[in-house]
Amino acid sequence: MSPRHFLTTEEWTRQELQLVLDRARAFKQGSDSSRSMQGKSIALLFFNPSLRTRTSFELGAFQMGGHAVVLQPGKDAWPMEFELGTTMDGEAEEHVKEAAQVLSRYCDLIAVRAFPKFTDWEQDRQDKTLMAFSQYATVPVINMETIIHPCQELALMMNLQEKLGQPDKKKFLLTWTWHPKPLNTAVANSALLIASKFGMDVTLLCPSPEYLLDERFMQAGAENAKREGGSLTVTHDIQEAYSGADFVYAKSWGALPYFGRWEEETGIRMASRHFMVDAQKMALTNSAKFSHCLPLRRNVKATDEVMDADYCVAIDEAENRLHVQKAMMATLLENQQ
Ligand code: CP
């Protein structure tokens, strides 16, 4: 049986994830119309904004006969505390210990989106909000993006399998791209995890060593590559990175050494605008497909020409969010029986 929660793909085997992906394909093809959530419900807790995640989870639950309750702590639900033993004399009205237990009495699943606070990576990398929910909830918990984005990983891998077939040994380029603000590393961490887990030859392209991802994910990527017969290569050379790529995946993120001191990162970031994905770079590839998790700033992260090209499959990936999340909700509910 697969794990109780879906917090990270690191806790799931390739085979367990493939079963979820196969189920997602059945949902997409319409060959699985089972109402696996009949009479069931999911609480969706959003500590941060969303378009795709909220819509696809709400509709996914509805399509399987279930119901989703959306809560935004601090907006339409009480602000929450996560530390134990603290004197709650600040903004928080509710402790996660009660909130997670109460929601578990009402709902069959709990899903959480809680981005890093972007001031101290040593704190953020502990993923305390998600960990607290998984500790105190008595129902399965799903990660809707924290320091990783495992639902996006499944949608990406479904897209990769649809476009490339067997992904093993295909060249997957994960490229840092320009953005005026330092963004979450979650999707980059996740792309590295899932591409390496499925045996791809992963190239990580970033402006300088300061943009390497957290050692936890670099190490997991290297271990996955070793186990699955793929590889993990880091480069700062744009031409070398794009050359022969079968799939280009773009994401911008903030350099971890500058967490909380972002003004010191601005110079490097401003000097790296040329990392934007454009048609000239894509022409170096092996007729690669291009994708991004979205939202994407046009002509900042990728040009209009790239986004409007036939090789851009970002919309397919966004659609896949619906199918993979339905498959994951159905799987976790079955594990409970
Ligand atoms: N890709 C993604 O998670 O989109 P949202 O932030 O709109 O949910």
Side-chain angles (χ1 to χ4, degrees), residues 49-54 113 145 149 152 293-295 321:
S50 165
L51 183 148
R52 279 144 290 271
T53 304
R54 177 173 172 173
R113 166 167 284 198
E145 191 177 355
H149 198 348
Q152 194 74 48
C293 62
L294 304 178
R321 291 289 304 278

